[in-house]
């Protein structure tokens, strides 16, 4: 048995409802990757048990490791390469032509960089949707992060492409179990149809059948903008959410990215499947691509739909920094509702922790620092000038903390970041590899595009 003690920290407590608070002077006890107790700090002699690994967290605040609820991790290789363009041009002139250049090696190099960026920022889980997902799994296993991976497909790749993506998900799931050594797997898999506007009803129906039969969830984009919803109604007579209902995707269980075009009339449908549905909101993307709206979190919350916070890919978000995402979530929700009392600091922290766990399919496993949960923990130092004086640590976490305030990170009880350095992997090598290959990915001289955006 491995035993870890995080000694003498403050602990952010995120209850299922109501206000969060901070307990001072706590020890977090961990056995075989699971939190067994969070109790007032003991006398130092208690640290001297044989084989006990102690993380001295004096002066630090422990928060549940954050979840990036929707991303395309290898797109860090395109960071800053598609700026000041419309959403149509972003897809058709930049990203989908660039993705003609994807190779397993380039995806792996990008995924390693992404995992490094997220772990150093206290992001302990990411929910990914991309190609060559086997390479992303290896990067996640190497760096020590937790991930749910959905191999992406479009209907334009035919039945063969669809079935290959399903098979990739099966193999990822098996790889996760194989690497888990009897613990809950750190790598899990979902099915990854791209979106209702790039995947036919027939393929969505088949996806839902496989999901139900084999116990997968479905991670996809839907109702990303109000324009997409209108276009779906014009073409098909139904909203994208109604497409997910009639193809069985909602019933099978799904994580829906964005949902900015969800209508009030969609809410009863989503509510019916609330136990198996979650929405991921990535507000920086909506601002940057001038999408005109954001996820209707207040309405979804009222309907009981779990919500997580994500970055989407760094080709538009530029970072995989969930602190930035949660801050923008609070700000854009207040603006959307014209209500400064909505989207409180406690509610925002709950979305990034408990909400993220549900979005990742890890409800009850991660997302809170309490006995029985996996020990995914970020320890922050809030003593820097931008957080001081510290009247309210919850306010600091939402509105002033930076990713660089994260000092130590544990995933499944293993310390993967120590004193702001990765323990599992060689960061200079990761950076060198990414710099060496980046130009090959953003090369627009390759003919064609992997898909055309016409929602
Ligand atoms: Zn996305």
């Amino acid at each position: 048995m491995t035993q870890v003690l995080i000694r003498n920290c403050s602990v952010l407590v995120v209850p299922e409802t109501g206000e969060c608070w901070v307990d001072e002077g706590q020890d977090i006890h961990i056995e075989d990757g699971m939190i067994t107790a969070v109790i007032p700090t003991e006398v130092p002699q208690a640290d001297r048990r044989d084989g006990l690994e102690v993380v001295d967290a004096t002066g630090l605040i422990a928060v549940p490791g954050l979840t990036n609820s929707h991303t395309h991790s290898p797109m860090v290789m395109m960071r800053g390469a598609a700026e000041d363009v419309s959403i149509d041009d972003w897809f058709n002139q930049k990203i989908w032509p660039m993705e003609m250049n994807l190779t397993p090696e380039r995806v792996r190099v990008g995924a390693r960089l992404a995992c490094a960026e997220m772990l150093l920022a206290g992001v302990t889980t990411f929910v990914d949707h991309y190609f060559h997902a086997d390479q992303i799994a290896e990067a996640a296993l190497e760096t020590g992060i937790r991930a749910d991976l959905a191999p992406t497909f479009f209907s334009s790749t035919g039945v063969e492409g669809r079935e290959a993506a399903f098979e990739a998900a099966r193999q990822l799931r098996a790889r996760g179990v194989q690497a888990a050594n009897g613990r809950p797997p750190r790598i899990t898999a979902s099915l990854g149809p791209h979106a209702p506007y790039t995947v036919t009803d027939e393929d969505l129906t088949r996806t839902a059948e496989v999901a139900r039969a084999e116990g997968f969830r479905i991670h996809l984009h839907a109702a990303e903008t109000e324009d997409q919803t209108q276009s779906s109604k014009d073409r098909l007579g139904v909203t994208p959410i109604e497409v997910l209902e009639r193809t069985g995707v909602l019933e099978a269980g799904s994580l829906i990215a964005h949902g900015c075009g969800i209508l009030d009339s969609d809410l009863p449908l989503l509510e019916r499947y609330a136990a198996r549905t979650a929405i991921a909101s990535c507000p920086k993307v909506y601002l940057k691509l001038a999408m005109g709206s954001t996820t209707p979190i207040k309405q979804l919350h009222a309907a009981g739909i779990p919500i997580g916070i994500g970055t989407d890919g760094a080709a538009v978000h530029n970072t995989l920094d969930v602190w930035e995402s949660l801050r923008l979530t609070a700000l854009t929700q207040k603006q959307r509702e014209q209500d400064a009392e909505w989207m409180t600091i406690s509610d925002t922290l709950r979305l990034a922790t408990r909400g993220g766990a549900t979005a990742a399919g890890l409800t009850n496993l991660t997302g809170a620092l309490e006995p029985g949960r996996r020990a995914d923990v970020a320890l922050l130092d809030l003593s820097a000038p931008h957080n001081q004086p510290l009247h309210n640590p919850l306010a600091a976490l939402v509105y002033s903390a930076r990713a660089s305030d994260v000092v130590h990170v544990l995933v499944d009880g293993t310390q993967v970041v120590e004193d702001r350095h990765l323990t599992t992997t060689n960061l200079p090598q990761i950076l060198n590899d990414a710099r060496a290959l980046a130009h090959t990915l953003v090369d627009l001289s390759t003919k064609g595009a992997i898909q055309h955006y016409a929602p």
Side-chain angles (χ1 to χ4, degrees):
M1 182 167 62
T2 63
Q3 289 187 301
V4 180
L5 171 63
I6 303 176
R7 197 169 68 79
N8 196 28
C9 55
S10 303
V11 173
L12 172 69
V13 181
V14 183
E16 285 188 33
T17 57
E19 289 193 17
C20 301
W21 70 88
V22 173
D23 284 335
E24 310 276 349
Q26 299 289 302
D27 285 352
I28 303 174
H29 294 256
I30 299 163
E31 288 182 7
D32 287 339
M34 188 179 79
I35 297 172
T36 54
V38 183
I39 52 177
T41 297
E42 297 173 357
V43 291
Q45 280 79 352
D47 301 356
R48 299 210 182 110
R49 278 169 287 166
D50 279 350
L52 178 69
E53 184 188 326
V54 179
V55 179
D56 180 8
T58 305
L60 305 180
I61 181 168
V63 307
L66 302 183
T67 294
N68 189 346
S69 298
H70 173 70
T71 190
H72 314 280
S73 57
M75 293 180 91
V76 292
M77 295 293 270
M78 305 164 189
R79 200 190 311 264
E83 301 298 329
D84 303 327
V85 288
S86 69
I87 188 168
D88 292 43
D89 284 352
W90 186 84
F91 275 119
N92 290 329
Q93 304 301 323
K94 301 286 188 179
I95 300 307
W96 280 343
M98 287 178 189
E99 286 182 336
M100 292 293 288
N101 301 318
L102 292 172
T103 66
E105 183 194 20
R106 293 166 189 174
V107 166
R108 177 138 171 191
V109 166
R112 292 172 83 222
L113 176 62
C115 292
E117 180 185 356
M118 287 190 277
L119 284 174
L120 288 166
V123 177
T124 51
T125 299
F126 69 105
V127 189
D128 212 60
H129 193 280
Y130 213 56
F131 311 96
H132 303 295
D134 58 325
Q135 301 296 317
I136 304 169
E138 294 311 315
L141 287 169
E142 173 197 341
T143 54
I145 200 167
R146 196 182 292 283
D148 183 79
L149 307 170
T152 303
F153 70 92
F154 302 108
S155 284
S156 57
T157 57
V159 170
E160 203 175 295
R162 181 190 75 195
E163 295 300 320
F166 296 161
E167 186 53 30
R170 294 184 189 106
Q171 289 180 11
L172 282 171
R173 173 189 269 175
R175 179 77 179 100
V177 170
Q178 177 217 347
N181 269 330
R183 293 185 178 188
R186 244 189 329 105
I187 303 299
T188 55
S190 294
L191 305 184
H194 176 262
Y197 59 86
T198 51
V199 178
T200 62
D201 278 20
E202 186 189 344
D203 283 343
L204 288 173
T205 301
R206 172 72 183 143
T207 305
E209 284 167 9
V210 172
R212 270 197 309 272
E214 302 182 32
F216 286 107
R217 297 184 320 143
I218 301 165
H219 177 184
L220 79 176
H221 304 87
E224 295 175 301
T225 64
E226 290 170 349
D227 284 352
Q228 283 181 13
T229 298
Q230 190 56 51
S231 161
S232 176
K233 287 174 76 172
D234 293 346
R235 281 186 304 120
L236 309 167
V238 291
T239 68
I241 299 300
E242 288 168 329
V243 170
L244 301 188
E245 209 265 339
R246 75 181 185 188
T247 53
V249 168
L250 291 185
E251 205 213 329
S254 56
L255 171 62
I256 298 168
H258 311 314
C260 305
I262 288 173
L263 303 180
D264 285 347
S265 60
D266 291 321
L267 293 169
L269 262 187
L270 290 167
E271 188 170 6
R272 192 181 313 158
Y273 301 103
R276 299 191 288 289
T277 305
I279 309 281
S281 186
C282 312
K284 183 174 170 184
V285 173
Y286 318 146
L287 295 169
K288 196 170 172 206
L289 290 177
M291 285 163 60
S293 58
T294 187
T295 316
I297 290 181
K298 189 172 190 179
Q299 294 71 20
L300 290 162
H301 181 70
I305 317 296
I307 296 147
I309 295 174
T311 62
D312 212 341
V316 57
H317 197 277
N318 299 66
T319 73
L320 302 180
D321 179 351
V322 177
W323 299 101
E324 185 182 23
S325 313
L326 71 87
R327 180 167 309 149
L328 285 167
T329 298
L331 296 171
T332 52
Q333 288 299 314
K334 287 176 187 293
Q335 179 74 8
R336 177 191 152 92
E337 302 300 335
Q338 293 288 294
D339 182 359
E341 296 178 8
W342 159 245
M343 208 71 246
T344 63
I345 49 180
S346 289
D347 283 339
T348 306
L349 290 168
R350 194 162 18 249
L351 294 190
T353 54
R354 285 183 184 270
T358 299
L362 300 170
T363 312
N364 301 325
L365 265 190
T366 65
L369 301 181
E370 55 193 35
R373 303 244 174 183
R374 307 312 297 174
D376 292 5
V377 189
L379 290 146
L380 287 84
D381 178 357
L382 298 180
S383 69
H386 57 266
N387 293 316
Q388 292 291 319
L390 193 63
H391 291 297
N392 182 346
L394 307 183
L397 291 170
V398 174
Y399 287 119
S400 62
R402 298 174 185 169
S404 55
D405 295 329
V406 174
V407 178
H408 305 307
V409 179
L410 291 85
V411 179
D412 216 49
T414 299
Q415 188 163 8
V416 291
V417 174
E418 183 175 0
D419 290 327
R420 297 184 168 90
H421 288 90
L422 292 164
T423 63
T424 48
T425 189
N426 182 340
L427 183 60
Q429 187 66 53
I430 287 175
L431 291 168
N432 279 340
D433 291 348
R435 289 186 197 113
L437 279 180
H439 70 281
T440 63
L441 260 165
V442 300
D443 180 5
L444 286 171
S445 68
T446 311
K447 290 237 179 322
I450 62 163
Q451 184 68 33
H452 182 75
Y453 183 70

